[in-house]
Each structure stands twice: as structure tokens, then as C-alpha cells.
Amino acid sequence: MPTDDEYQRARNLVLEFGWNATAYQILNPGIALWFSAAGDGVVGFAQHRRVLVVGGAPVCALDRLDDISAEFVADARKRGYSVCYFGAGERLESRYASDASWSRVLLGAQPAWDPRDWSPAVAKRASLRAQFNRARNKGVTVTEWDARLAENNPDLQRCLEEWLATRGLPPLHFMVEPETLSRLQDRRVLVAQRGAKEVIAFTVLSPVPARNGWLVEQIVRGKRAPNGTAELLIDSAMRAIGASGASYATLGLSPLSQRAGIPQPRQPMWLRVALEWVRRHGARFYNFGGLDAFKSKFNPHVWEPIYAIADGRRFPPSALYAIAGAFSGGAPVRLVLRALSRAAREELSRMVRQIRSSSREKRSTGGRRS
């Protein structure tokens, strides 16, 4: 793991050159760092077996992207590793698009806005205004907290634990690391409260410095957050960063989304089957369609295509397995087994509640008849 000095060097590069929406996330716990020989570029990655899964793209000046990408790949190959970029945007994709020795998969799309024009975007949706009002009518207010107050705050941590307990999958890591409350330097945190003190939800924003923007990195809802709280958090965050002069904002990747209007590059049959299976059956663990619909209702100004780019003429199964391993923090099979176990426990709990509810109803009905 990076030393304090390496972390600071990487942070300085991210704050100067971070263009990918996920650039700041390479500073999250659990991500290894590689630096170019000249010290003017950094790559954040996770290793799974013999594949290095890169978070987004190298962070460096645009005119150094080709050279630093080549340097990183050469160093990886020298050590016996292949490379897979996860979450690559337009800059890196254009570099590899014409290189037949690399393959690409369209992961989905991420919505983007100019937050200075946020008000007209949401004004078009009466349903959004209704959600904002629903939360406000329940006494929900949103304020921005100073990072020193938010860092390791027990109310925010409790809210995070409540939220994680509702997920269909065990906590994931890599580019969706949930444990960011101990590293809020440079981030912005907006908190939803009900009444004077009760924290019910929060959102964490990380900077996208080279685009004068912000990524909404997390939207966390506690169990007492009423409907409309997430929408009100996003609305408040967009207005806050727009007021501070930001010109770019995104809610991040919407996996499997086709809203960018970009055709999927030609894929081997096994990968087409795998992606279609996830699209049809993955909702058991992760509601891709619901997430996509949620983000789209805020009327994005544009949808940006996001790719995985792998070392090899045809996208290799090892790259897909390594991506799953990077997010699961270990063997993907164990993640699936834990997810199935959690789903089984939740289903059993639901059945028990239904049986108890039915028994109470029968006793109540029987009592009235007698």
C-alpha cells in the first residue's frame, strides 16, 4: 500500500491533472499506486492474479498520456502482468481505439451536467419537484458540513452502516469504496437531517480538477430517510457546486446503460452472453436499470461513454474476472456465494414476517367472529 509520501505525491498529481471522473478515487484505501519515471504521472490499480486493473486512466498532462500509458504497460509486461483499464473515458479510449492489440468493452455511460445550468434542467420535471417537496414536507433539510466535522463522524458512520445493510451485495471496493469518511480532505459532504439533529442521509463529492468539476461519489440513505431525500441531496449538491463556479458534474457510471448512443464494440460470443445474462438477471443483486432511470430523470446535458480496455486483440475472460476480483477484494466466487447467502437470509426473513403477519390476521379475524 502507498506510503504517506506516495499518497501525497499522487494527491498533488490528481489535483493538478485529474480529468477522469474517478481520478480522485485512486486515493481511496486499497488502491496501489505506480509513478512514471519522470514523476509526472500516476496510475492507481488493483492486482488480481496476473492482471493489473487500472482505475480509470493514468493521471497526467494530456500531452503525456500516450507516453505514460506506454511506460506503465511496458513495466507491467516486464513483470509478467497484463493490463485492463476500468472506467476509461474519451481520452484514453481514443488512444487505444485504433490499436488492434487492445480490445474494448462499453461498460455503460455516465450523465454529466454544467451545474451552473442546473435549475433549468430540473425545472422540466414536475415529478422531481414533487420529490423535493415530499422530503421537505417530512422536515428534511440539507446543509454542507465542514470536512473536519464530517470526518469519522459517528452519525454519518451509523447512516453508512444502515445503508450497507440494505445492499444486495456485500460491500464492494476499488472504484466504489464505501469507507471514505476517514479521508475527506478535498471532498465536499452534504448532510440531510430531519429535525434539529437526526442525520438520515449524506452525499460525498470528490473533485474532478482538470474539468473544474465534481463527482457525486456516494449517496447514502439511512433507514429513516423518507422518499425524496436522495433527490433533495443531489439538488442541493448541484446548486452548491454551481454557486462555487464549477462547470462540470457527474453522478458517475451507470453500468450497462445505452444512453450514450455508442454501439458496443464487436465482442466474443462468451462476453456477449455474459453481459446479457447480467442485464437480465443481475437485478437480484444490483438494480442496474433502476440506477440508470434514477440518474436520467435529472435531465443530463450529456451521457459520456465509459469503457473497459484490455490487453489483447479479443477481450479476455481473465480481464473480466480480474475486474470482478478488484471490486470484490478477493475471489469473485466468494462474493457471489456471500451475496446468495445474504439473499437467502433476506428471503427467509421475509417469509417469516409474512407467516407471522398472516397468523396475526387470522387470530384477529377469528376473534371478531367469535
Side-chain angles (χ1 to χ4, degrees), residues 107-124:
L107 296 173
Q110 66 183 17
W113 296 260
D114 183 335
R116 297 170 299 183
D117 298 328
W118 175 256
S119 293
V122 297
K124 298 176 182 178

Side-chain angles (χ1 to χ4, degrees), residues 20 22 51 80 92 114 116 162 184 196 248 273 287-288 319 350:
N20 258 55
T22 56
V51 180
L92 194 69
D114 183 335
R116 297 170 299 183
E162 291 176 357
L184 295 179
Y248 176 82
V273 171
N287 189 359
F288 297 108
R350 185 186 65 82

